[in-house]
Amino acid sequence: MVDLADGTVPKLPELVSLAYFNPGCGDGEQAVLTRPQGDDTQLLTVDARKGQLVRQQTVAGQLTSAVPFGNEIAAARGDAVVSVDAKGATSTLARTGGTPFRLVPDAHSGLAYQVPAGTQVQVRRVTSAGSDRLLGSGALGALAVHGTGGRVF
């Protein structure tokens, strides 16, 4: 993180590596950092405005593409999009035909994501209420989901 007003760089007490899925930004000022812990995954929620770690938890299994999602965290695990609550319990938001990636939360309790489907990629949206629907598809590598400030493109 960099304070754009004065250029300072607040250091977090934990080290993580940057990757295509890490960090995962939400629709506000929070981000989630992930790092492997043996067969498990550690999730570090950061308040980017304050430059502070606000939650640290370890969950079973390998999770990627973790992002803040309401009061929880959404992430990809195998062939599913899952949510992780504050106690580390996971629940499935959507089953997918491949490994979901590029998870982007919106300001309306939804989460857009991409999932490979053969030579195509699907763009889907799941809600915290469990609705999962196809928004569109295209050639793998020809489209990408992006978001800013709760808006998804």
Side-chain angles (χ1 to χ4, degrees), residues 52-85:
Q52 295 177 341
L53 185 63
V54 293
R55 187 165 76 194
Q56 183 173 343
Q57 59 195 120
T58 301
V59 296
Q62 181 183 10
L63 278 68
T64 62
S65 302
V67 294
F69 186 53
N71 294 326
E72 299 187 348
I73 293 171
R77 180 169 63 187
D79 64 349
V81 177
V82 299
S83 65
V84 181
D85 69 16

Side-chain angles (χ1 to χ4, degrees), residues 1-91:
M1 294 171 292
V2 176
D3 185 322
L4 297 178
D6 63 16
T8 59
V9 180
K11 300 280 185 190
L12 294 175
E14 304 292 334
L15 299 175
V16 297
S17 62
L18 297 178
Y20 72 92
F21 60 83
N22 203 29
C25 298
D27 64 349
E29 297 295 328
Q30 289 197 339
V32 177
L33 302 164
T34 60
R35 68 177 174 191
Q37 296 288 308
D39 292 333
D40 301 330
T41 303
Q42 190 171 46
L43 302 171
L44 308 164
T45 303
V46 175
D47 182 323
R49 178 176 289 152
K50 296 178 182 175
Q52 295 177 341
L53 185 63
V54 293
R55 187 165 76 194
Q56 183 173 343
Q57 59 195 120
T58 301
V59 296
Q62 181 183 10
L63 278 68
T64 62
S65 302
V67 294
F69 186 53
N71 294 326
E72 299 187 348
I73 293 171
R77 180 169 63 187
D79 64 349
V81 177
V82 299
S83 65
V84 181
D85 69 16
K87 295 182 179 185
T90 60
S91 60

